[in-house]
Amino acid sequence: MVFAELAEVEKRFEALEIETLRTSYIKSKPIYENRARLIKQIPGFWPTVLQSDHVPAAIESSIQSCDPQILNSLKAVEVARFEVDDDPEHGDPRNFKIVFEFDSGPFLEDKVLEKKFWYRRSNDGWAGLVSEPVRIRWKLNADPTLGLLDIAVDAYEERLKGSGMIGTSQGNKRSSTESSYDGVGAHSRLVNALEDSDAHSISLFAFFGYCGRNVTAEESAEAMMDQSPSRQDGSGNVAPEWKQSVSEGSIKSLIQNPSHLDSDDEDPLALEIFPAGEEVANALCEDIFPNALRYYAQASEQEVWQPGSESDLESGDVEDHDGHVSNSSSEVEERPRKRQR
């Protein structure tokens, strides 16, 4: 009985968080669009932000010596919660995409790179982000991943064919024909490539190869579908976002056996070329993007206009999007400098 009540409490919290995130995104979207228009007038804004000494550790540690020269051509970054854009009332705001726009240069054939992330829950209680690898078209001899990203994309497509799935935006549609996939080819090349590579020197652009755990949309929907009469909206219908909650069983399992996700089973990220993909995605979406002005001010060590008195500007105080005030000059002194590249 206690576990059932705890599960119900968790479901209500989750439903509230989802609705709050959805509403916040819709209301803030035009503000971010105006910010993007103004940022484009500042040369080198996004390269300065991403290479700031103050970015989250997941970002800082992922930028290798080969990356800054490519990042210097980055002119825009956007985070969009694409399901909310398509369905403002019921779209899941936990699914998002990150769009990177580059100027012309000697490295990329592609001017725009887009990577989508879907929130998934598995039957064993795990919850997190999954994605599909994105192939990048590089100019001759310009690939900082040294072909590793292409191999990862090939292996992913090979796995989809082998499982009879067609990879279309995590739709996980069943193929109408049987596959003769025998577990060799791109998969073997990926295993060999990972064995030969140094995980600590893989380019940030390997981020586009991140997949995450193999949790299909069907499995996630099943894990989220535990329903009860109390999860109804004002019309008596079960609210769609309340269908996406943890079950009583998963609450009980986590309490009684909190280490079950750390078993000695096969590592689900063993074949990831960028294991920190979820951490980097969350850092970009939840921190770097909304706080870009603060990171730019800290990195450039120059005054950026913020609402407030002239004394605030002169003292270096910078107000972030949550209204918190920090002194950028003192923080620069207190934070250790990033490693030299």
Side-chain angles (χ1 to χ4, degrees), residues 178-192:
E178 293 296 327
S179 171
S180 59
Y181 171 69
D182 58 5
V184 299
H187 176 86
S188 298
R189 287 191 290 122
L190 179 59
V191 172
N192 293 333

Side-chain angles (χ1 to χ4, degrees), residues 44-48 50-51 62-77 100-113 136-147 149 201-208 341:
F45 179 88
W46 283 108
T48 299
L50 290 179
Q51 297 176 76
S62 297
I63 297 178
Q64 306 303 323
S65 59
C66 58
D67 295 323
Q69 55 186 345
I70 307 173
L71 290 174
N72 285 340
S73 64
L74 181 63
K75 68 176 184 179
V77 176
F100 304 83
E101 183 179 354
F102 294 85
D103 283 319
S104 298
F107 302 100
L108 288 158
E109 293 285 356
D110 296 311
K111 298 290 185 64
V112 177
L113 301 177
I136 298 177
R137 295 184 305 149
W138 298 96
K139 293 187 177 181
L140 184 63
N141 298 324
D143 180 2
T145 74
L146 303 178
L149 177 57
S201 63
I202 294 178
S203 165
L204 172 66
F205 287 88
F207 165 72
F208 289 91
R341 295 191 180 90

